[in-house]
Amino acid sequence: MSAGRFRDLLAAEWIKLWSLRSTAWLIGAGTLAIVAFAAQSSLDTYQSWPGFTAMEKAMFNPLDEAFSGVSASLLMIGAGSLGALTIVGEYATGLMRFTLVAVPARHRVVAAKLTVVAVVTLAAGAIISAGTFAVSQAVLSGRGVAVSPGDPGVLRVLAANALLAPVAALTGMGIGALLRHTAAAVVTVCAALVIVPSFFQPTVHQWLNDLYALVPLYVWRTCLGLSELRDNPALPTVAGSWAAFALWPLAAAVVTLIVVRRRDV
Amino acid sequence: MIEVNGLTKRYGAVTAVHDLTFTVRPGHVTGFLGPNGAGKSTTLRMILGLNRPTAGAATIDGRPFARHRAGLRHVGALLDAADVHGGRSAAAHLRALAAGNGLPRRRVSEVLEEVGLAAVARRRIGGFSLGMRQRLGIAAALLGDPPVLMFDEPINGLDPEGVRWVRGLFRRLAAEGRTVLVSSHLMSEMENTADRLVVIGRGELIAEESLAAFAARGAGASVTVRTPDPAELAAVLALEGATVRTDGGDALTVTGVDASRIGELAHQRRIMLHALAPRAASLEEAFMELTADRADHQADVRTGVRPDRRAEALAGGAR
C-alpha cells in the first residue's frame, strides 16, 4: 500500500504549518520588517555620506547596512519561535494525540516536521538575505560604496545570514519539544539564541573563547557575518563557525527525536 | 478486534490501570464503562500506543498499534474533542490528517458532510462549541474508513439530536462489521447503544459481558412506598421476608415482595399509603452497585448527591 509514504507526512506537516494564519503573518511581516530596516539604514547612510570623515569612510562596511546584528537577532528570534511553536502547538493543544494516531511511527513525524520547518525557514532566510543585500546595495551604489556578490567574502556572509533562520528554527523546535509550554519555550529561545550570546566578547581566556565559538550568533558576529576576517587567534575560524552552525540544529534534532519517542502523550 | 492483555500503568506509587485483560469483538458496540478516574482514558491511550504500559500489551487486529504505518486506515479514535488547534479551520485540520495517511482529499468533504459540519468547514475550530468539536473528532475518526473505532466520552456536549445521531452512527458502524468501543462514565448512555460491556473501576476489570447479563447482576425489582407510618409498615414487611431500606423520612424501598402484596398487607393492618411505585431493575443500579466501592470521587452520603450525578457535574465543570 502506498499509504504513509514520507512524502505524505511532509504534505501533512506543510498543511499544518500554513493553515495557521500566524505562520504567514510571522514570515511575511518579519521579512518585510528586516528588508525595510535595511532600506532605511542604507538611505540614512546615503544622505549623511558627504558628512562622513575619511576615517568613517574607511571603516564603512556596506554589508552592515544590509543586515546588522539587530536584523540577525530579529531573524533568530522569529525563526526560533516558529520552530518552537510547530511542536509546542501540537503538545499544548493535545493535537499530538491525533497526529500520532494517524502516524504511529513517531520518528517519522519528527523527521517530517524537522524537514518542513528547515526548508521553510531556509527559504525565508534566503529571501531575507538576498532582499536586504539587493535593497541596500542598490541604494549605496549611488555613492559608489556598494559591494557585489563576487567580492571576497560576500557570498559567505550572505549564506551565513540565510542560514541563521533554519539554525534558530531547528534549535527552537528542540527547546519546544523539551519544554512543551508556549511561553517558556519562546522565552528560552530568545535567551539561548540571542540574549545570552550578545554578552559574549572575545577575552584573554582562550577556553572561554573556545566555548563562545560554539554559539551561532557569536560566530556570526565575529566571523561568518564579516566579509573581511581579522586574523586573531581569539576569534573563531570559518570552518569552526560552520561547525557551530551545524552542531545546534543537529543536537536539537536528536533531542526532539528522543523526547518525542520516549514521552507519553 | 481489540485485545488487551494484562495491561498495567503505574505513575509512581499510583496505579492507574491494573492487570486489565479483555477483548472487544467486531460487529458490536461495546461500552467501556467506569466512574471518573477509573482508568478508561489511560487504557485507550495505551491501546493506541500513546502511553507506554508499565506491563502487558494491547493489539489491534493482531498487531500492536504502533506497528501500523497509516494509523487512520486501521483505527479511528476520538480521545478528547479538545485535542485540536483552535487556529485551524475544520477542513484544514482534517486535510492534514488525511494527507499524512495518503487519503484522498474528497474523504475530508465526505466526513464533514457525514457529521453535519460541511457548512462550517472553513471556520476556525477555536469558535466551535463542544458539540461541534465532538462532531469534528468523530469526523477525524471516520476519515480512514477504519475497521476499529474508539470513542472516549463522545456524548459530552452533544445536544439531544446529536446524541440520537451518534447512537445511530455507532450502531450502523457495528452493523457494518466494525469493532466499536465507546467509553462513558454514565450507564444511561450505554443503555440504548451498547450490546456488550467492559466495566472497570479503579483500573481493574469488574465485568466483561453482554448488557443483559450485566443488568441481571444488579438488585432485582424494588418497590418504593411512602407512608406516614414507615416504622410499622417496615416491621410488617420484614415479617413477610422483605428487605426494607428506609431513607429516614416517610419513604421505604422494598425488595422481595411485590407491590400488590405490599398494598394488601397495608390494607389489612390499616396503614395509610401515600405512594406505591414498583421499579424495574436498571442497568444504572447494577453499575452503581458494582462500582460504588471503587469510585474515585465518592460523594458524601450525607449530601444525598448520587456519585453519578456528582461525576456528571465534575465532567461538566472540567469542560
Side-chain angles (χ1 to χ4, degrees):
Chain A
M1 203 194 294
S2 68
R5 290 165 306 180
F6 193 62
R7 217 176 68 198
D8 295 332
L9 303 190
L10 292 178
E13 293 304 326
W14 182 266
I15 294 169
K16 275 194 264 186
L17 185 64
W18 291 105
S19 57
L20 290 178
R21 284 185 211 166
S22 53
T23 305
W25 274 107
L26 183 65
I27 294 179
T31 304
L32 276 180
I34 296 174
V35 172
F37 190 54
Q40 187 261 335
S41 166
S42 308
L43 281 170
D44 234 27
T45 304
Y46 178 88
Q47 265 148 16
S48 43
W49 182 259
F52 275 24
T53 64
M55 178 71 160
E56 279 170 332
K57 286 181 179 174
M59 295 287 282
F60 179 72
N61 176 7
L63 288 176
D64 219 33
E65 305 299 314
F67 195 81
S68 67
V70 175
S71 310
S73 304
L74 280 178
L75 179 56
M76 289 192 96
I77 287 172
S81 303
L82 184 76
L85 290 178
T86 53
I87 198 138
V88 175
E90 293 220 16
Y91 274 113
T93 56
L95 178 62
M96 198 62 174
R97 283 190 277 274
F98 264 123
T99 302
L100 293 183
V101 167
V103 186
R106 299 184 182 192
H107 61 282
R108 285 160 60 82
V109 173
V110 171
K113 246 183 216 310
L114 288 166
T115 308
V116 167
V117 166
V119 166
V120 168
T121 51
L122 178 62
I127 290 169
I128 287 172
S129 178
T132 52
F133 182 78
V135 165
S136 65
Q137 303 313 306
V139 172
L140 294 174
S141 63
R143 294 288 181 206
V145 291
V147 291
S148 85
D151 291 338
V154 172
L155 270 184
R156 171 173 44 73
V157 173
L158 293 182
N161 292 352
L163 283 168
L164 282 174
V167 167
L170 297 190
T171 305
M173 197 187 278
I175 290 170
L178 270 179
L179 299 181
R180 300 208 275 188
H181 183 277
T182 312
V186 171
V187 168
T188 310
V189 161
C190 294
L193 287 171
V194 174
I195 297 170
V196 172
S198 57
F199 292 107
F200 296 171
Q201 295 296 338
T203 72
V204 291
H205 305 294
Q206 191 54 36
W207 67 271
L208 211 50
N209 292 330
D210 292 343
L211 199 66
Y212 292 165
L214 295 172
V215 180
L217 186 58
Y218 180 79
V219 300
W220 177 85
R221 219 172 64 216
T222 55
C223 174
L224 294 178
L226 305 171
S227 53
E228 286 172 52
L229 295 175
R230 278 160 280 178
D231 193 19
N232 182 342
L235 296 176
T237 62
V238 173
S241 299
W242 287 128
F245 262 42
L247 180 70
W248 283 49
L250 280 177
V254 172
V255 165
T256 309
L257 197 62
I258 292 173
V259 167
V260 171
R261 281 192 72 158
R262 288 184 57 105
R263 281 211 189 132
D264 284 351
V265 200
Chain B
M1 182 145 83
I2 304 170
E3 286 163 293
V4 171
N5 207 332
L7 215 52
T8 300
K9 180 74 176 180
R10 275 191 288 272
Y11 296 99
V14 182
T15 302
V17 174
H18 179 66
D19 197 19
L20 209 52
T21 301
F22 62 85
T23 304
V24 186
R25 292 195 169 74
H28 300 280
V29 177
T30 303
F32 190 29
L33 265 174
N36 281 351
K40 300 185 298 291
S41 299
T42 309
T43 304
L44 294 181
R45 286 178 189 181
M46 285 194 284
I47 294 172
L48 291 169
L50 297 173
N51 291 10
R52 199 184 296 255
T54 312
T59 58
I60 287 175
D61 291 332
R63 289 165 83 189
F65 180 66
R67 299 264 177 82
H68 292 293
R69 266 207 156 180
L72 297 180
R73 291 172 185 256
H74 301 279
V75 176
L78 166 62
L79 293 177
D80 186 337
D83 289 346
V84 288
H85 196 304
R88 281 192 190 98
S89 70
H93 170 71
L94 295 176
R95 227 168 40 235
L97 290 171
N101 275 213
L103 298 167
R105 250 177 180 224
R106 73 180 150 73
R107 279 301 293 157
V108 172
S109 24
E110 282 170 11
V111 294
L112 280 170
E113 197 71 52
E114 167 133 34
V115 303
L117 290 180
V120 293
R122 310 224 139 267
R123 274 190 22 209
R124 297 206 303 168
I125 306 169
F128 280 19
S129 67
L130 176 57
M132 288 161 86
R133 285 174 195 232
Q134 292 283 24
R135 286 170 185 266
L136 179 62
I138 292 167
L142 297 174
L143 210 48
D145 198 20
V148 175
L149 292 119
M150 308 204 294
F151 301 95
D152 198 0
E153 305 272 0
I155 313 278
N156 280 349
L158 288 177
D159 55 19
E161 190 276 327
V163 172
R164 221 181 46 160
W165 164 73
V166 91
R167 284 183 171 150
L169 174 72
F170 293 161
R171 278 198 294 264
R172 200 196 78 211
L173 291 168
E176 289 167 359
R178 300 177 213 256
T179 307
V180 184
L181 183 63
V182 182
S183 90
S184 175
H185 62 271
L186 294 177
M187 186 66 230
S188 52
E189 283 179 1
M190 291 296 132
E191 264 178 288
N192 306 310
T193 320
D195 338 295
R196 296 191 56 82
L197 289 178
V198 172
V199 185
I200 66 171
R202 292 237 171 128
E204 289 182 55
L205 189 71
I206 294 176
E208 180 189 5
E209 58 202 4
S210 74
L211 202 69
F214 184 75
R217 282 165 170 259
S222 67
V223 182
T224 303
V225 195
R226 304 185 89 86
T227 169
D229 206 355
E232 197 183 339
L233 183 62
V236 169
L237 291 169
L239 285 174
E240 281 283 306
T243 309
V244 182
R245 258 181 15 236
T246 171
D247 69 345
D250 66 344
L252 299 175
T253 305
V254 186
T255 47
V257 177
D258 68 6
S260 44
R261 180 71 187 137
I262 295 170
E264 280 172 31
L265 288 167
H267 182 70
Q268 285 168 12
R269 303 298 176 100
R270 304 205 156 265
I271 301 170
M272 190 193 289
L273 295 186
H274 289 157
L276 181 62
R279 283 173 58 209
S282 82
L283 281 169
E284 191 74 50
E285 278 167 13
F287 177 50
M288 289 307 305
E289 216 150 278
L290 279 165
T291 57
D293 53 331
R294 306 196 218 195
D296 246 6
H297 311 285
Q298 281 273 23
D300 192 323
V301 185
R302 281 163 303 179
T303 63
V305 180
R306 296 192 330 188
D308 60 333
R309 286 284 153 71
R310 172 88 184 280
E312 217 168 342
L314 282 173
R319 296 283 148 192

